Amino acid sequence: MERIDNVFYSYANKSSGLIDPEGIEALCSDLEVDHTDVRILMLAWKMKAEKQGYFTLEEWRRGLKALRADNVHKLKKALPELEKEVKRPTNFVDFYSYAFQYCLTEEKQKSIDIESICQLLDLALGFQFRAQVDYFIDYLKIQSDYKVINLDQWMGFYRFCNEISFPDLSNYDPELAWPLILDNFVEWLRAKQT
Amino acid sequence: MERKVIELDQGWDYMQKGITKLKRILEGSVEQFNSEEYMMLYTTIYNMCTQKPPHDYSQQLYDKYKDSFEEYISSTVLPAIREKHDEFMLRELVKRWGNHKLMVRWLSRFFHYLDRYFIARRSLPALNEVGLTCFRSLVCFFRQNFDTFCILIQIDKEREGEQIDKALLKNVLDIFVEIGMGQMDCYEQDFEAPMLEDTGVYYSHKASSWILDDSCPAYMLKSEECLKKERDRVAHYLHSSSEAKLVEKVQHELLVNFSTQLLEKENSGCRALLRDDKVDDLSRMYRLYHKIPKGLDPVATIFKQHITAEGMLLVQQAEDAASNQLFFDSQVLIRKVIELHDKYLAYVSDCFQNHTLFHKAMKEAFEIFCNKTVGGSPSAELLATFCDNILKKGGSEKLSDEAIEDILEKVVKLLAYISDKDLFAEFYRKKLARRLLFERSANEEHVTDLTLAKDNQNEFENYLSNNPNAHPGIDLSVNVLTTGFWPSYKSSDLNLPSEMVRGVQVFKEFYDTKSKHRKLTWIYSLGSCQLIGNFEAKKIEMVVSTYQAAILLLFNTSDRLSYSEIMTQSNLGHEDLVRLLHSLSCAKYKILIKEPISKTVSPNDIFEFNPKFTDRMRRIKIPLPVVDERKKVVEDVDKDRRYAIDAAIVRIMKSRKVLGHQQLVSECVEQLSRMFKPDIKAIKKRMEDLIARDYLERDKENANLFRYLA
């Protein structure tokens, strides 16, 4: 326990008592992981970190205890296992949803701008649904109906990737409760295919 | 004293004599039974039945009774019938049946005692029944083919127009009925079934040749006649229970089997009849197919297609006129649609007896073409414009009050077919307001607000006369309207000409004395002005809109102004400016000269006052074409629709709490259908909005389910 706390304080900001973005960067370089790497997001998930870019002591303790790491070296070794854990279907939905909410920086914020969503999609789903993600990102960039994406649409896309056969889209039914943006996305894809 | 026992042979011998005498009587002998003979015969039976066993001969006598009939039938009756043919056979049958009934009556009297105790004790059929059954099972069974065949030949002969003995047939068929002794099975199995089959074959044959040779009306006429004749047949000699089956059979062969060929006949089928307004033939068609289950469906379909085609033709003609920039008169189009409606409504009531199937067909047809856009205008707008023209004073129609009411009633009927009813309402409201404001209405009731506005104006004039200092500098009258009662009008920030500024100022001061809490917003776009133009030839008074006046007054200070100068000085937008300058320089009255001379106004033009302008009238009205309000109306209606959809969704979810997506969408559409047909995508968008505003949430397990968040 003490060792975990010590590691925490080695990265934390002296005045705020939290690990801030600078500290996270330092941590990342020690872990030999890029700070935009999805594994940091996974780590934040494991810690149930509330604010993007910051870790509190409590969150830190939670995360490292769960990973059974009390130093950076062990933490680094735990990352592959963590990755596997997150990718398990039962956990992944939770992680995916978390990823969205983690990016909400303002207090009453409920949606994320297109630019950031594109990056987040790539990060969170790219490895699993490369084709769908690439096409969707293309679409998001050229459409003008929506300037932001909300949680319902975010989760809808994951459902889309899981349930709809791609690229034929044969089982997509716009009469069902798919978010409108996906209806438009499918229309756009189908027009491209002809 | 002990009665002497009668032996069976002995007693039967005696009975036999009696039976033989009866037979002779049946064959025509003039002999009779007197009461003594009758008594003897009866008593003989009585004695033989009441003797003590083994001389109780009830069972044997019962059997012998039955045998008597069977013997007589097979030895005498059957051969008598068999040796005759056709009609004569039938006559013989009738005669023999009559005889048989007599025989049964007499013998059962002789043997009556059996009826009293024996048959009940042994649960056997009564003597009467036994007797009649003999005739049936022997005669009918053996004779069925020949008898029935005979009868059918007669019937077919009659169908072909020959005279036959109807009474004879009735008698024969009565036998079939009577034989059943309360049940109709003999009649039905031995006569009716083969008769129906024969009828089927007969008419199937006829129909196949008629359908090729005859036109649809001629075929229908024949069918109607055939059905009538068959009904008459039932009345004359068939049993009434056959009517329904017979009619159904004939209908099936003539009308059902060949329904498609008949209705679709090239030049005389249903379509052609509609085209040529053959009301009688169509009425007949209705009468014939009315009773047949689903018989009217194809007729209604053709009816619907026909009306749709006619309606689409009208729409297409109008569209062509509009796109070729020929004069497209929407009045004419609407009138024609009303005529079409009246015409086919008459068809539905006269030919088709107001049957719901045809009302429905008509409704669906009108819904198809009444929602088309013509010349860029949605049908809702065309209808509103039509009403406006009817109602305004000096409109293109001059009608009496009654005629107006009549026409408007018909318009309301057409309105039912239009899905964007809310769009119509909005256009109508805007036009109504304009009519009221410019007092061009033909019979409008006074709107309270306008009355108030008039009162206001009167007070203003009083104020002016009482306040010599308050001088507007011009004659000014103002209509003050209450916002909310009127459609929203856009009002641009016109740079008011100096001549008008003072007037507005004075009015504002006056109004502030009346009420301190109200804010006045000036809608210059609705105002009108009278200017006196000092032209070289003579002074001319011009009636113009305030905007037009504002521009003209600019030329009081400069003779020549460029487009951009006018724009800056008046502070009007391009859309308005082009329209205004056009009306003053390119239309009928050229108050301004435009450089370069052309038909349209462009931002590079220069304008100059035209001193040489003149007209033979001293007073002219310079019209300003009304800005196309369609875009604004559509925008307003879209906005209202968004609110309406929101409200509908919330209402539904509040009462259902949890609902599937498709159900929610369909209930929403239904609720809103009174006013408009909501776009599915629009509903989805509103739902998303409501989710974001935490009115609804999507269920975690089932993505197609939604929950209301209190």
Side-chain angles (χ1 to χ4, degrees), chain B residues 306-548:
Chain B
H306 178 79
I307 299 178
T308 310
E310 296 240 319
M312 286 303 294
L313 191 60
L314 289 180
V315 168
Q316 190 57 46
Q317 282 168 352
E319 181 66 43
D320 288 341
S323 63
N324 288 335
Q325 274 151 359
L326 297 172
F327 183 57
F328 160 49
D329 190 353
S330 67
Q331 296 294 102
V332 170
L333 174 61
I334 303 286
R335 275 224 182 270
K336 284 192 181 160
V337 174
I338 291 180
E339 272 168 35
L340 199 72
H341 193 254
D342 286 342
K343 178 178 174 190
Y344 287 106
L345 211 55
Y347 268 72
V348 175
S349 75
D350 298 340
C351 296
F352 302 126
Q353 308 299 319
N354 270 320
H355 196 281
T356 47
L357 211 57
F358 291 89
H359 272 293
K360 181 160 173 271
M362 191 166 152
K363 169 174 176 288
E364 286 173 7
F366 270 82
E367 275 171 4
I368 291 177
F369 67 82
C370 280
N371 283 303
K372 298 283 178 198
T373 303
V374 182
S377 302
S379 53
E381 188 185 351
L382 294 177
L383 213 53
T385 311
F386 182 78
C387 293
D388 189 48
N389 275 329
I390 300 278
L391 290 166
K392 69 183 181 205
K393 263 192 222 152
S396 45
E397 323 263 343
K398 289 184 177 32
L399 300 168
S400 69
D401 288 355
E402 260 178 51
I404 291 181
E405 257 197 61
D406 249 2
I407 288 257
L408 288 182
E409 257 186 58
K410 293 186 202 257
V411 168
V412 167
K413 291 210 182 101
L414 286 188
L415 190 55
Y417 302 125
I418 294 191
S419 43
D420 292 338
K421 294 179 188 31
D422 57 347
L423 200 58
F424 170 82
E426 190 61 28
F427 275 115
Y428 186 82
R429 229 163 63 98
K430 280 223 140 72
K431 293 183 200 278
L432 168 66
R434 187 174 299 117
R435 283 202 304 277
L436 289 174
L437 275 182
F438 298 123
E439 291 165 308
R440 272 187 275 159
S441 57
N443 251 334
E444 296 287 344
E445 298 161 294
H446 273 302
V447 174
T448 327
D449 221 29
L450 268 183
T451 319
L452 279 178
K454 274 205 162 49
D455 289 342
N456 229 330
Q457 177 60 20
N458 289 334
E459 284 179 40
F460 179 56
E461 277 159 26
N462 281 339
Y463 170 89
L464 287 180
S465 52
N466 291 339
N467 281 336
N469 290 336
H471 204 293
I474 50 172
D475 283 332
L476 176 64
S477 77
V478 180
N479 266 340
V480 180
L481 309 172
T482 312
T483 335
F485 286 5
W486 301 81
S488 57
Y489 294 103
K490 62 170 189 164
S491 142
S492 50
D493 278 318
L494 175 67
N495 234 352
L496 214 53
S498 46
E499 294 87 337
M500 299 181 192
V501 170
R502 177 127 175 78
V504 166
Q505 186 63 33
V506 168
F507 187 85
K508 195 168 172 316
E509 283 164 11
F510 152 74
Y511 198 75
D512 282 344
T513 67
K514 277 194 61 172
S515 50
K516 302 233 188 298
H517 306 289
R518 307 233 180 115
K519 175 169 173 278
L520 286 176
T521 305
W522 293 83
I523 314 280
Y524 298 117
S525 54
L526 293 177
S528 66
C529 207
Q530 283 156 349
L531 289 183
I532 297 187
N534 296 322
F535 301 101
E536 272 174 25
K538 66 176 192 249
K539 288 193 213 262
I540 296 186
E541 193 181 305
M542 300 175 285
V543 177
V544 291
S545 72
T546 307
Y547 279 10
Q548 284 166 316

Side-chain angles (χ1 to χ4, degrees), chain A residues 152 177-178 180 183-184 187, chain B residues 681 684 688 694 698 703-704:
Chain A
D152 188 59
W178 294 103
L180 194 54
D183 290 344
N184 297 343
E187 247 178 70
Chain B
K681 282 203 170 183
K684 263 203 181 180
E688 282 187 355
D694 289 325
R698 199 190 285 266
N704 275 312

Side-chain angles (χ1 to χ4, degrees), chain A residues 110 145-146 150 152-153 159 173-181 183-184 187, chain B residues 661-662 665 680-682 684-685 687-688 691-694 698 703-706:
Chain A
K110 292 209 167 150
D145 296 318
Y146 294 93
N150 63 32
D152 188 59
Q153 289 160 318
R159 252 193 323 127
D173 181 6
E175 303 253 323
L176 296 177
W178 294 103
L180 194 54
I181 194 175
D183 290 344
N184 297 343
E187 247 178 70
Chain B
H661 174 81
Q662 271 136 315
V665 168
I680 304 294
K681 282 203 170 183
K684 263 203 181 180
K685 194 130 212 278
M687 275 172 64
E688 282 187 355
I691 293 176
R693 279 145 67 196
D694 289 325
R698 199 190 285 266
N704 275 312
L705 206 61
F706 291 90

Side-chain angles (χ1 to χ4, degrees), chain B residues 620-645:
Chain B
I620 56 174
K621 181 164 162 33
I622 305 187
L624 179 60
V626 171
V627 71
D628 190 0
E629 61 195 353
R630 184 187 315 133
K631 211 167 69 147
K632 174 113 195 335
V633 170
V634 170
E635 264 174 38
D636 284 346
V637 167
D638 275 342
K639 205 155 46 116
D640 288 340
R641 283 182 180 179
R642 260 178 269 148
Y643 295 138
I645 297 177

Side-chain angles (χ1 to χ4, degrees), chain B residues 289-304:
Chain B
Y289 279 94
H290 173 54
K291 313 241 187 60
I292 298 176
K294 291 199 183 280
L296 290 172
D297 290 0
V299 184
T301 307
I302 296 179
F303 186 59
K304 174 176 161 189

